[in-house]
Every structure is written in structure tokens, then in C-alpha cells.
Amino acid sequence: MTEVQIKTYEIAGMQPISRECLVCGTENALGIKARFFETTTKELIALFTLHHQHQSYPGIAHGGISATVLDEVIGRAIMIDHDHQTFGMTLDLQVRYRKPVPLDVELKVVGRIDSAKGRLFEGSGELYLPDGSVAVEAHGKYMKRRIDQITVADFTDTSWVLPEGEVPATIVI
């Protein structure tokens, strides 16, 4: 049995969200409504809770939803060293499922950039269960893209906002 390591992350700030996004959208009725926190160690943490509309087997999240959140967190991690207008567009994503992901409990994903060269970067991340164990891992390759290269002109004015709520000083995983 693998021993769970508890780690405390100091939070440096919060990232914006999109109103209609499946992962973070506040106005997407079926969305996950994740919130993203940048750490002082240049990792990105997403906090979220999955519900019945995200399930596969009864009480268990669909694996594609777990992969979606990991992909979002790794792709967003590039914003930490750039600005909140730069995203990672997925070129390749490899996912490894270790444990079932339950519904109706707070989950955490931690993602980071492992290497970057020019417009391309690679990153990795883990989805953590409430007990601190890793349920899903991912590694991906991405291309840096600015918001204005991938969406409509007024997106940042109308749909790209900082979420309401306080930024925690720390997050424990």
C-alpha cells in the first residue's frame, strides 16, 4: 500500500474563468465550475466537485471528465509564467487511471509545466482524492496560443473574469 504524503501549497493568486466553459464556467448548467489557484512553486491547483451529471458508473465520475480537468489544469499552467491571455492547446494527452473518482466530494488537481521550448511545452498533473491519494495522472504536449488566436474578439471583455470569493493562503493536499 502506498503511503499518502500531505503537502501544503502556498497560493500566489487566482486565475480567471470563462462563463460558458465546461470545466470552469459559472453559467454552464452541466459544468464542473472549477477554480484555479497559482502556487508559489509555479504549480496550478484546481478545486472542484463532480456531481451526478458527470458520472459513469453509479457514484463514480466518468473517466473522460477526469481527463478533461487534468487537461485543463496542465494547459492553464502556462499562464503562471506568461499572462492570463496565454493558453495551452492540447497536442497529445496520456492519462493513467489508478482509482475510481467519487462524486459529491471536493477534489483537487495539481498541474505543472515540465519543459518548454518556443511555442511548445509539456506538462503533467495528478487528480487527488480527499484522502490525498492519486486517482488519475496525466502527461501532455501543448502549443502556446493567445486568447485572441482561438476565440472571438470580445471574449476577454464579456466572458473572461476572475471568480468571486477569497483566495486561500494555502491549499493542503
Side-chain angles (χ1 to χ4, degrees), residues 76-119:
R76 279 174 161 265
I78 199 67
M79 290 186 208
I80 295 170
D81 279 333
H82 287 72
D83 57 28
H84 288 167
Q85 306 294 313
T86 302
F87 285 81
M89 299 291 292
T90 311
L91 302 174
D92 179 64
L93 184 69
Q94 303 293 315
V95 181
R96 182 168 182 189
Y97 299 92
R98 296 183 172 277
K99 294 181 178 185
V101 176
L103 303 175
D104 300 315
V105 296
E106 185 178 69
L107 301 166
K108 298 169 184 163
V109 167
V110 179
R112 72 207 52 83
I113 303 303
D114 297 324
S115 65
K117 185 174 183 181
R119 294 184 320 161

Side-chain angles (χ1 to χ4, degrees), residues 61-78:
H62 191 284
I65 295 293
S66 298
T68 298
V69 178
L70 277 155
D71 182 44
E72 179 86 6
V73 172
I74 299 167
R76 279 174 161 265
I78 199 67

Side-chain angles (χ1 to χ4, degrees), residues 5-36:
Q5 299 290 321
I6 297 174
K7 183 172 181 181
T8 300
Y9 293 88
E10 291 183 36
I11 303 305
M14 183 183 261
Q15 289 189 350
I17 57 168
S18 169
R19 296 186 196 283
E20 295 294 330
C21 176
L22 173 66
V23 177
C24 64
T26 56
E27 295 176 20
N28 186 328
L30 299 176
I32 297 164
K33 298 174 178 47
R35 297 297 171 264
F36 303 93

